[in-house]
Amino acid sequence: MQINFLGKNLHTPLVLASGVLGNNKAILERVWENGCGLPTMKSIGPAPREGHKNPTVIDLGNGLINAVGLPSPGYLNMEEEWQELSDRVFPITASIYGGSVEEFVQVAAFVSAKGPDFIELNISCPNSDQHGMVFGVNAQSSHDVVAAVKKVIHVPLIAKLTPAAPDIATIAKACEDAGADAICAINTAGPGMVIDIESRSPVLAFKKGGLSGPMIKPIAVRCVYDIFRSVSIPIIGLGGISTGKDAIEIIMAGATLVGIGTAVRYRGITVFDKVNKEISDWLAVHDTSMEEIRGAAHREAL
Amino acid sequence: MITQLMPAMVKVADKDVHSPEFATLYVNQHIDFKPGQFVMVWIPGVDEKPYTISHHSPERFGITVEAKGLFSRKAVSLGPGDKIGIRGPFGNGFNMGIGHKRVAVVAGGCGMAPLAPLVETFQTDKGPEVFLIQGARSKSFLLYPDRFAAKAEICTDDGSKGYKGFVTDILVQKIKDLSAISTPAFDMVYACGPEIMMAKVFDICEVHSIPCQVSLERYMRCGFGVCGACVCGHAVVCKDGPVFGSKMLRTMADFNTRALLKTGQPVPLNEYATWRCQ
Ligand SMILES: Cc1cc2nc3c(=O)[nH]c(=O)nc-3n(C[C@H](O)[C@H](O)[C@H](O)COP(=O)(O)OP(=O)(O)OC[C@H]3O[C@@H](n4cnc5c(N)ncnc54)[C@H](O)[C@@H]3O)c2cc1C
Ligand SMILES: Cc1cc2nc3c(=O)[nH]c(=O)nc-3n(C[C@H](O)[C@H](O)[C@H](O)COP(=O)(O)O)c2cc1C
Ligand code: FES
């Protein structure tokens, strides 16, 4: 199921979500070998960060709640990894975050020079007080950060959005207008909270956390549907996708590529091969293609 | 009920204090368990960390903690009636093999914790003959000295008990002795301790064509193979491990060389931490 994405040939339409497993070259490669067309690195930040104390990730059965807290060596401390990645045979997206437009620009310029295939702006992480989501809930600040970063990088830019935005279609349009080459939707939903009633305390050390996995799929499908109607750049549909049928659903909402994160928990690293096969099987049975079904859910309305 | 989902709050029922550094906390609950697996232990308001199950019976289990940092000092200070949150068990356990006649179990320091239920399982299951080699910094760091029927070869770094030197010296000697009688000397070698010790055990086993299994340790967050904090080469320690066999160890670039800090930064193993079992 080869697919062309922003001029790059990917061996499958599946993307590994940022923050899931992508901590070193060996794992990114293993995910790619297991059927992921485009692995995303863990988000890279402006300074070293340890993230939050544990518990940081809890399985609720129908999805996860997490407040890992954007751990990162910091963009200046990753020479060894870039060195190893330099002779890779697979494509990668580098995800970055910052606490201000200046920080985003600083990190983006540096990372762009290291030659990833794409750069994704995480303007949507709920798990830090200073970083991320503050940008992604406002059209003007989303526009500003995308426009500023676009000037200093030499690879296509993907803007990753949060479902917490009051009107995600407007944010997506602002990113497109500012020069974004693609949209990735969605980051985790919420934030939510779970309380242990015996100890009477929130389970996550950070108290609140982002929701992912099957329980947020309807939100992701709605967001991709809304975004598809407002932009003409491609969309990476992400959020609760676990099976081939889930993938078909979000493609019908308008996604070109399909991201997978939490499903690694429920179906293992081989989830990519499984979902690819399930997509192909479904397409074969229905005698159709990815291109034909992309945005199909809009047909009547269009 | 204890599951891999939300931590279940359980009462510490009992406590064994082994030495100023080591204590075992017992919980009177059943947990579906295989030797080598671990649980995430939560102390609300403090932190949550992985611990191997070191005692197991149908109605209770225990974890043994070495007091070394903020969390573990708090853990060993807990006693009967105190509540902790447990989720798990996670990871694979030791593969106990079929038809093994003779195995070696090599433990360094609190590396004895995951190996103890393994030794006990072998002893109750008409299992193989077990050669237990147990090492520690000094006599007071030897875990469970009177727990097993199997006689252990003891060694300490300072010679305060048993042989003065490394567990690996004894392993080499044993393999040499037994090779005169049968090859291979052991059908399997199981090891847990400082990574440098496990790497030596692995090398020795490779030279003598003996398969081995070792239990690795990395910083963990989720415990179930999603967050990536614990990667070691292309392996995910919490999910693919923590027990790894020879075949996997041969291909794991970071085994005994590199580990990730909490920030995700890879550093040489000796820089990673003052290794807990040293
Ligand atoms: C699968 C698994 C099973 C484990 N089983 C046990 C067990 O049965 N008994 C037991 O006592 N401990 C076990 N540990 C280690 C345990 O999870 C803690 O890391 C340890 O108790 C130190 O925690 P702390 O918060 O007290 O120390 P910290 O305050 O975090 O640190 C104290 C010292 O320990 C070092 N350290 C912390 N974490 C690690 C680590 N992951 N690896 C190496 N060094 C570290 C620090 O650098 C520092 O020098 C296990 C770890 C894993 C991954
Ligand atoms: C443990 C965990 C860590 C995450 N870390 C990041 C991150 O660093 N950067 C980011 O952009 N998204 C991060 N995410 C969000 C995912 O990339 C993804 O957008 C979200 O989980 C929804 O997809 P899913 O339901 O398939 O997991 C993280 C998600 C999880 C579960
Ligand atoms: S601890 Fe999260 S992947 Fe291992």
Side-chain angles (χ1 to χ4, degrees), chain A:
Chain A
M1 272 196 299
Q2 283 238 350
I3 188 162
N4 189 284
F5 180 68
L6 302 177
K8 198 108 211 159
N9 269 324
L10 309 179
H11 75 304
T12 82
L14 300 186
V15 171
L16 171 73
S18 180
V20 173
L21 287 181
N23 279 33
N24 68 16
K25 181 193 177 186
I27 286 286
L28 292 164
E29 182 165 22
R30 181 171 161 197
V31 168
W32 176 75
E33 283 167 353
N34 277 285
C36 171
L38 180 57
T40 309
M41 297 168 71
K42 171 117 193 104
S43 293
I44 300 163
R49 258 177 81 93
E50 290 203 334
H52 299 310
K53 277 194 173 170
N54 280 337
T56 47
V57 192
I58 295 290
D59 185 353
L60 302 175
N62 54 352
L64 310 177
I65 183 163
N66 95 78
V68 170
L70 296 171
S72 171
Y75 74 107
L76 293 174
N77 299 311
M78 297 176 62
E79 275 321 310
E80 196 176 324
E81 276 150 285
W82 292 119
Q83 193 57 42
E84 286 179 17
L85 282 166
S86 65
D87 61 357
R88 69 180 186 276
V89 293
F90 55 93
I92 50 162
T93 298
S95 164
I96 66 164
Y97 68 87
S100 62
V101 172
E102 293 70 39
E103 278 183 0
F104 265 103
V105 166
Q106 215 172 19
V107 180
F110 189 90
V111 166
S112 170
K114 298 297 179 185
D117 297 277
F118 305 97
I119 287 182
E120 181 172 278
L121 299 193
N122 178 2
I123 51 172
S124 45
C125 184
N127 298 328
S128 156
D129 291 330
Q130 323 87 326
H131 300 95
M133 197 159 91
V134 282
F135 293 96
V137 290
N138 179 281
Q140 187 61 49
S141 56
S142 298
H143 182 283
D144 291 351
V145 70
V146 168
V149 166
K150 186 68 188 171
K151 280 194 216 129
V152 299
I153 66 175
H154 311 286
V155 297
L157 184 157
I158 304 164
K160 182 165 177 185
L161 306 187
T162 169
D167 180 3
I168 198 167
T170 310
I171 310 278
K173 183 73 172 75
C175 292
E176 180 181 40
D177 292 345
D181 299 282
I183 299 289
C184 175
I186 54 177
N187 207 313
T188 50
M193 180 186 279
V194 287
I195 294 170
D196 171 62
I197 59 175
E198 296 302 322
S199 60
R200 307 177 180 199
S201 60
V203 174
L204 295 179
F206 190 62
K207 298 185 174 67
K208 305 168 194 181
L211 304 173
S212 63
M215 64 174 144
I216 70 161
K217 194 186 73 178
I219 300 176
V221 171
R222 184 268 296 168
C223 288
V224 169
Y225 185 91
D226 286 351
I227 295 166
F228 185 74
R229 301 175 78 82
S230 76
V231 303
S232 51
I233 49 180
I235 304 165
I236 300 173
L238 165 66
I241 307 301
S242 313
T243 67
K245 283 184 183 165
D246 294 340
I248 299 284
E249 185 180 347
I250 207 156
I251 291 167
M252 287 184 175
T256 297
L257 299 184
V258 176
I260 288 187
T262 300
V264 169
R265 157 65 176 153
Y266 299 119
R267 303 184 78 190
I269 282 190
T270 54
V271 62
F272 298 95
D273 278 335
K274 291 171 189 158
V275 170
N276 280 321
K277 174 156 193 320
E278 288 158 4
I279 295 174
S280 317
D281 288 353
W282 193 94
L283 292 174
V285 166
H286 294 78
D287 192 23
T288 182
S289 67
M290 297 256 294
E291 292 68 37
E292 218 172 275
I293 61 163
R294 183 176 312 128
H298 295 267
R299 220 152 272 162
E300 225 164 277
L302 282 175

Side-chain angles (χ1 to χ4, degrees), chain B residues 74-147:
Chain B
K74 179 76 191 166
V76 297
S77 78
L78 298 178
D82 288 330
K83 282 183 175 174
I84 49 176
I86 304 271
R87 57 186 180 103
F90 295 109
N92 62 6
F94 291 105
N95 184 340
M96 282 174 276
I98 304 161
H100 287 171
K101 291 199 186 61
R102 193 190 302 124
V103 302
V105 173
V106 187
C110 61
M112 190 68 216
L115 295 170
L118 178 76
V119 171
E120 283 171 351
T121 308
F122 281 145
Q123 287 178 345
T124 55
D125 273 12
K126 293 194 213 108
E129 185 185 356
V130 178
F131 278 85
L132 179 56
I133 308 171
Q134 185 177 5
R137 272 168 283 184
S138 70
K139 192 178 163 191
S140 68
F141 286 90
L142 282 165
L143 267 184
Y144 331 126
D146 308 313
R147 182 165 161 181

Side-chain angles (χ1 to χ4, degrees), chain A residues 26, chain B residues 202 206 232-235 244-255:
Chain B
F202 171 64
E206 289 293 275
C232 177
H234 67 298
F244 293 96
S246 306
K247 196 174 160 207
M248 190 70 167
L249 293 172
R250 271 172 222 138
T251 66
M252 272 164 76
D254 291 354
F255 174 46

Side-chain angles (χ1 to χ4, degrees), chain A residues 21 57, chain B residues 38 40 218-231 236-239:
Chain A
L21 287 181
V57 192
Chain B
F38 66 93
M40 296 299 289
R218 288 293 184 273
Y219 182 72
M220 289 181 184
R221 293 183 209 270
C222 69
F224 46 66
V226 164
C227 74
C230 68
V231 297
V236 183
V237 173
C238 69
K239 182 79 196 315

